[in-house]
Amino acid sequence: MAWEQPPGFTLRQLSYLLAAARHGTIAGAASELHVSPSAVSDAITQLERMFTVQLCVRKQAQGLTLTTAGRHLAAQARPLLAAAKDIEAQAKAPEGQLAGPLTIGCYPTLAPKVLPVLLDEFGAAHPFVTLEIREDSQDRLFAQMEAGEVDVVFAYETLVPGKPRRAKLMERPAYVVLSPDHPLAVEDAVRLEQLADWNMILLDSPPSREHTLSLFAERGIEPKVRHRTSSFEVVRTLVARGLGYGILVQRPENSASYEGLPLTTREIEPPVAPVAVEVVWPATHKTSTKVQALVDFAQTRAWNL
């Protein structure tokens, strides 16, 4: 049948195009692929001749940039190459076993409790699945998922773009973290109004930043942000040194900072709406068996995040 005939391009040509787009240079792609720059350049040129369209703009000083047609082809090529890798891995795996690569994206504050479970427990249940991980801010993770570079994302429910498939794993309200010497540490619970005159250490990474600031904005309060950091543990370390308070959601088992200084936590009064932790995966194409297995595993496990 006609659809069974091989196409006029190869998977190798597509992989060279994607590598060049990823690195932004022919030389960078060639280095990653362990081939000559001319081999990468020739592969892209052959694709352009076949599709009769310019796929990229090559500037010697500024590297390589995909055109609109090039971005469209790259978006189609990623799942095609992933499917080819799955076919290869599945053919080599024992019958009935899931196999092949699976890339998991995770918001950094969730990573210490989510990734070890997935790599250990899910990995043990599916030994022929190659688990790869990416930690990044949620906006970047969802952009990577849309580009086909990440298969599934573990993140907070806020600022999830588009209409992907998603499932709630658990939810928790934000709380206040303080140094035991802070004057408000004597309170059983803390009102956000009580924090207005004290310095805040802001977890400055989306969506944590937006969520924290929205809690104050809803009550007409503008917090005094003294320091900003994208690191969960740096927030805790600065708070433990008495430089300010923090508003966090994740609750680690350790009640001390990285420096070993004690921390104390207080609930917010009146209670704020809880924020959910979700597993999110694309709705633009059929969910693969591997992704569905991971989602099912995540949904049936009891999480303490």
Side-chain angles (χ1 to χ4, degrees), residues 16-74:
Y16 285 12
L17 174 68
L18 291 181
R22 188 164 53 251
H23 287 276
T25 65
I26 296 292
S31 178
E32 175 192 324
L33 298 167
H34 304 291
V35 299
S36 67
S38 62
V40 176
S41 181
D42 289 347
I44 296 174
T45 298
Q46 290 163 5
L47 287 172
E48 290 178 323
R49 287 175 179 169
M50 179 190 170
F51 294 117
T52 64
V53 67
Q54 185 176 6
L55 298 175
C56 62
V57 177
R58 309 180 208 191
K59 297 181 179 179
Q60 188 170 1
Q62 301 177 0
L64 175 146
T65 304
L66 292 184
T67 62
T68 300
R71 290 193 297 272
H72 181 68
L73 178 59

Side-chain angles (χ1 to χ4, degrees), residues 170-250:
M170 65 159 294
E171 60 182 14
R172 280 268 180 88
Y175 63 94
V176 183
V177 58
L178 300 160
S179 163
D181 297 329
H182 195 287
L184 293 178
V186 299
E187 304 283 347
D188 292 331
V190 175
R191 298 179 62 87
L192 294 181
E193 289 81 0
Q194 292 176 275
L195 297 170
D197 294 328
W198 297 98
N199 290 325
M200 173 197 277
I201 311 299
L202 178 64
L203 180 55
D204 194 14
S205 177
S208 295
R209 174 184 60 232
E210 289 78 4
H211 175 254
T212 297
L213 297 179
S214 71
L215 297 178
F216 286 87
E218 288 170 2
R219 300 187 186 180
I221 307 167
E222 184 173 352
K224 292 174 58 178
V225 178
R226 181 177 180 182
H227 296 296
R228 297 170 180 262
T229 174
S230 60
S231 168
F232 179 87
E233 285 299 337
V234 171
V235 171
R236 285 163 46 86
T237 300
L238 296 180
V239 168
R241 280 179 169 265
L243 298 180
Y245 68 90
I247 301 290
L248 301 173
V249 174
Q250 186 191 355

